[in-house]
């Protein structure tokens, strides 16, 4: 089955086409131009898919809360204006006459890891991505656990600190206000106002900056606090971490050490592992929607 897959994010849309065996034969990335809104994103997708008339199926991974049964966007925040309510499945199926499946990007990334990457050997695991916020997905018996309305796994909004920092969700003290990459960089900027990304930060840490290492150390403790609670709830064999900052072995090692400090001894076999595909995991997940279901 030749599959067209896309991963729609706030900044870019990654796309690929597979051969009959599901191997990627073409990859492309274009800017989302998200400010132009949902209809423009769909138009962009349609223009590109039109160049591949012989595909058999379309798999979409996308930012936002997704009703995966009906393939539409339940809710997308202001990063993707006029995207809420977009009926991606209906629109693409009527235009291209092939089956279309749609999944939330974090869930898709978890499926990508499950079928092609770090999660291959595990029936159960938790998946977290660290970036602007913290995304989460729950895999049980090799399937996503979706919850009653399909939006389970909002780990970023676990309440860690009652009366803590205000969160974009309208509540206070959410995990992602302390454990996201944004939270880490917020602290880093207090020392180095010009340090705006993780790559720059790790260059300075590897160059021997002790204050920045301490900030990273403190931050990984916040990350580990959230993961420890999740381990106590789900008792998974492993937790897979994605997002740019987690591509650094140093981050995984620090988080892993701190998780061990925060969990009960009876859970200590749990492994903290790095995502294999990084920011391409969602694309692999979008392919898997047709290959493994
Ligand atoms: Zn929140």
């Amino acid at each position: 089955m030749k599959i067209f897959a896309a991963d729609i994010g706030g900044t870019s849309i990654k796309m690929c086409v597979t051969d009959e065996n599901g191997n990627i034969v073409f990859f492309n990335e274009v800017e989302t131009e998200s400010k132009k809104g949902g209809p423009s994103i769909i138009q962009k997708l349609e223009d590109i898919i039109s160049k591949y008339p012989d595909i058999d199926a379309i798999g979409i991974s996308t930012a936002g809360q997704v009703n995966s049964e009906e393939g539409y966007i339940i809710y997308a925040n202001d990063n993707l204006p006029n995207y809420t309510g977009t009926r991606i499945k209906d629109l693409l199926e009527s235009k291209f006459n092939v089956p279309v499946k749609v999944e939330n990007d974090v869930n898709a990334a978890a499926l990508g890891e499950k079928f092609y990457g770090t999660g291959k050997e595990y029936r159960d695991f938790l998946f977290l991505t660290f970036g602007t916020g913290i995304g989460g997905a729950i895999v049980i018996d090799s399937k996503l656990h979706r919850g009653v309305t399909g939006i389970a796994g909002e780990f970023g909004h676990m309440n860690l600190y009652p009366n803590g920092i205000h969160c974009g969700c309208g509540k206070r003290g959410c995990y992602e206000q302390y454990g996201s990459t944004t939270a880490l960089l917020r602290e880093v900027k207090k020392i180095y106002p010009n340090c705006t990304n993780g790559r720059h930060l790790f260059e300075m840490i590897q160059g021997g900056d002790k204050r920045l290492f301490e900030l990273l150390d403190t931050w990984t403790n916040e990350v580990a606090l959230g993961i420890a609670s999740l381990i106590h709830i789900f008792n998974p064999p492993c937790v897979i971490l994605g997002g740019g900052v987690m591509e650094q072995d140093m981050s995984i090692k620090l988080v892993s050490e701190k998780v061990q400090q925060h969990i009960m001894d009876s859970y200590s076999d749990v492994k903290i592992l790095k995502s294999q595909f990084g920011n391409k995991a969602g694309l692999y997940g979008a392919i898997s929607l047709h290959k493994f279901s």
Side-chain angles (χ1 to χ4, degrees), residues 11-65:
T11 313
S12 75
I13 305 176
K14 298 182 190 70
M15 288 164 289
C16 71
V17 179
T18 74
D19 63 16
E20 298 286 352
N21 301 316
N23 302 309
I24 294 176
V25 290
F26 164 81
F27 174 80
N28 192 15
E29 187 166 4
V30 298
E31 274 182 46
T32 311
E33 298 182 287
S34 55
K35 293 298 164 223
K36 290 186 183 169
S40 148
I41 293 171
I42 297 300
Q43 186 61 52
K44 220 172 234 210
L45 267 182
E46 289 181 351
D47 290 347
I48 294 165
I49 299 171
S50 301
K51 294 176 188 158
Y52 301 93
D54 62 341
I55 52 164
D56 303 305
I58 297 170
I60 305 287
S61 153
T62 176
Q65 294 177 343

Side-chain angles (χ1 to χ4, degrees), residues 156-157 167 169 174:
H157 301 281
C167 181
C169 72
C174 293

Side-chain angles (χ1 to χ4, degrees), residues 66-73 86-91 100-103:
V66 173
N67 179 317
S68 61
E69 259 169 50
E70 296 179 41
Y72 72 89
I73 304 296
T86 304
R87 303 196 70 87
I88 301 178
K89 180 181 164 72
D90 292 349
L91 289 167
V100 176
K101 291 188 178 179
V102 186
E103 186 56 83

Side-chain angles (χ1 to χ4, degrees), residues 128-136 156-157 175-177 179-183 219 242:
L128 287 87
T129 55
F130 296 81
T132 315
I134 298 176
H157 301 281
Y175 180 31
E176 70 178 29
Q177 293 305 317
S180 63
T181 306
T182 308
W219 176 76

